[in-house]
Amino acid sequence: MSPQVQAVALRAILQLPQPLRRLIAGAPIRLDGNELALDAQLLLRLQRMIGHDGLSAPTPEIARAAMVQSNKLMTFNRLGGVSVGERRIPTPSGELAARLYRPAEVAGPGPLLIFYHGGGFVVGDIETHDDACRFLARQAGIRVLSVDYRLAPEHRFPAAFDDALAAFRFAADNAEALGTTPESIAVGGDSAGGNLAAVVSYATRSEEIRPAFQLLVYPAVDATRRRRSRELFGRGFLLTDADIDWFMANYVPEVGERGDHRLSVLLAEDLTGLPPAYVVTAGFDPLRDEGEAYVQRLKESGVPVIDRRFEDLIHGFMNLRQAGGRFQEAMVEIASTLRAGLALRAGRLQDQP
């Protein structure tokens, strides 16, 4: 079946009445006190039917191509109302591609979210996360700068961290040209991108210019320990246990380096002074427990935190928004909370003498 036919068939199935979608998806899946959303279960079932199970592959090139193809299947329309411009970010290791999103109604200076895409530091790019960035920009009413950082194994740890930090500093130095101010720049991302947002926040916590806010969507924050959620959800829920091992083997092959705070920020001794955070986890995600352990560490360190577990969703749901249903609902909530968090942060900064 050609990709075009697959896309048409997928869209038709997603629009079927609920009883038919349940029939295709199978009996409800209940685990650890939660029931998987029908929308998520249906997509997982369809994935397996076309031979997709997990995110890793025999080679990084094959895995990257598979993610691109999967993204095309899930992107039915380009979201309008957002202007998009290509940018280049200079770094000590060369230029990075970037993409700046601006909602049509936003003209003057305002908040900027630097977005780092997910993909285990091995797959993904600014195109695979184009819909998520368009949606965040439009729904939250902010500019978004998506960064195409270097990927492993061609560029291993700490290359992605170095690029993420360089992108933040570039944005701070060029804030006016990007339509913002240095004090109004937030960082965010999903999965590996959530990790990069967290470690950039940690690396700059004592600097004069640091992120105003951090959006961490099902972030990877500890590469040294297997928690209970990885045992529960490590197979059959998109991101697998084998995928996580494969990603780490490509990005940080030296096991002894995996406790470095530039990767495992959960293990950092002192998390005080970090910017306010909005941490999102998914109930059927192998990374759930480490994300929620990070929430607890932040709270214990006096960092303002908004934490939200979408109990019925899976890892990677940001890229499934156009499937509608629970995925769309979750993204609306994330964008609305981000907007409120940035507005609250801006108000507090204005109140300071």
Side-chain angles (χ1 to χ4, degrees):
M1 186 184 297
S2 70
Q4 293 79 10
V5 173
Q6 287 182 6
V8 172
L10 175 60
R11 190 165 192 177
I13 292 171
L14 292 173
Q15 294 174 346
L16 289 172
Q18 192 271 349
L20 291 178
R21 289 186 289 123
R22 170 56 70 192
L23 184 64
I24 296 170
I29 294 175
R30 297 182 179 91
L31 194 58
D32 199 32
N34 297 319
E35 180 175 321
L36 184 63
L38 172 58
D39 301 315
Q41 188 177 339
L42 179 62
L43 278 179
L44 291 171
R45 171 68 172 161
L46 295 174
Q47 263 200 329
R48 288 191 290 271
M49 289 173 65
I50 62 175
H52 291 175
D53 186 18
L55 302 175
S56 55
T59 68
E61 293 77 15
I62 294 173
R64 290 167 189 164
M67 187 171 189
V68 168
Q69 183 57 45
S70 177
N71 179 258
K72 288 180 179 178
L73 288 176
M74 291 307 309
T75 305
F76 306 124
N77 299 293
R78 288 276 191 184
L79 187 65
V82 181
S83 67
V84 181
E86 305 299 325
R87 296 289 189 274
R88 306 295 295 183
I89 298 176
T91 78
S93 302
E95 286 192 334
L96 302 176
R99 189 172 289 175
L100 182 64
Y101 300 82
R102 179 181 62 81
E105 71 275 13
V106 174
L112 171 74
L113 173 69
I114 301 176
F115 187 86
Y116 307 111
H117 67 79
F121 307 101
V122 179
V123 303
D125 55 31
I126 55 177
E127 188 59 37
T128 61
H129 286 65
D130 178 76
D131 180 74
C133 289
R134 286 174 183 267
F135 186 81
L136 289 175
R138 181 171 165 179
Q139 193 74 16
I142 61 171
R143 291 174 174 84
V144 175
L145 182 67
S146 182
V147 179
D148 208 13
Y149 57 87
R150 290 173 294 167
L151 299 177
E154 296 88 346
H155 306 283
R156 288 176 167 155
F157 174 79
F161 162 76
D162 290 340
D163 289 351
L165 183 59
F168 172 74
R169 288 180 170 153
F170 166 82
D173 291 341
N174 296 272
E176 184 176 357
L178 294 172
T180 188
T181 65
E183 297 77 24
S184 302
I185 299 173
V187 292
D190 66 314
S191 194
N195 171 277
L196 294 174
V199 296
V200 166
S201 297
Y202 178 78
T204 58
R205 72 195 188 286
S206 300
E207 298 180 9
E208 182 178 357
I209 301 299
R210 55 181 179 167
F213 194 83
Q214 45 182 333
L215 169 66
L216 313 179
V217 181
Y218 35 81
V221 290
D222 183 3
T224 68
R225 179 178 164 191
R226 302 172 62 89
R227 289 176 167 79
R228 179 170 173 269
S229 60
R230 185 166 169 182
E231 303 297 336
L232 286 172
F233 311 114
R235 185 175 180 182
F237 298 101
L238 186 65
L239 177 67
T240 70
D241 183 65
D243 291 339
I244 297 171
D245 285 341
W246 186 78
F247 287 137
M248 284 298 99
N250 277 283
Y251 184 48
V252 197
E254 295 296 330
V255 175
E257 295 184 346
R258 295 181 186 177
D260 192 304
H261 63 74
R262 293 171 295 177
L263 176 65
S264 296
V265 66
L266 176 61
L267 305 184
E269 290 185 10
D270 183 6
L271 297 179
T272 58
L274 289 174
Y278 175 31
V279 184
V280 174
T281 58
F284 287 78
D285 182 358
L287 300 185
R288 183 193 70 187
D289 288 358
E290 64 187 78
E292 294 179 359
Y294 193 57
V295 167
Q296 188 60 34
R297 283 287 320 276
L298 291 174
K299 290 180 177 179
E300 292 169 354
S301 301
V303 178
V305 183
I306 305 167
D307 58 298
R308 173 68 160 105
R309 179 200 287 188
F310 290 95
E311 294 91 347
D312 56 350
L313 291 182
I314 58 175
H315 190 90
F317 67 75
M318 276 193 100
N319 283 19
L320 303 174
R321 183 193 69 82
Q322 293 203 28
R326 284 293 293 134
F327 305 118
Q328 172 75 9
E329 292 169 5
M331 284 297 290
V332 168
E333 183 177 329
I334 288 171
S336 299
T337 306
L338 173 63
R339 183 174 196 152
L342 289 171
L344 181 62
R345 178 62 172 165
R348 286 178 175 173
L349 287 174
Q350 290 174 2
D351 291 340
Q352 292 178 0

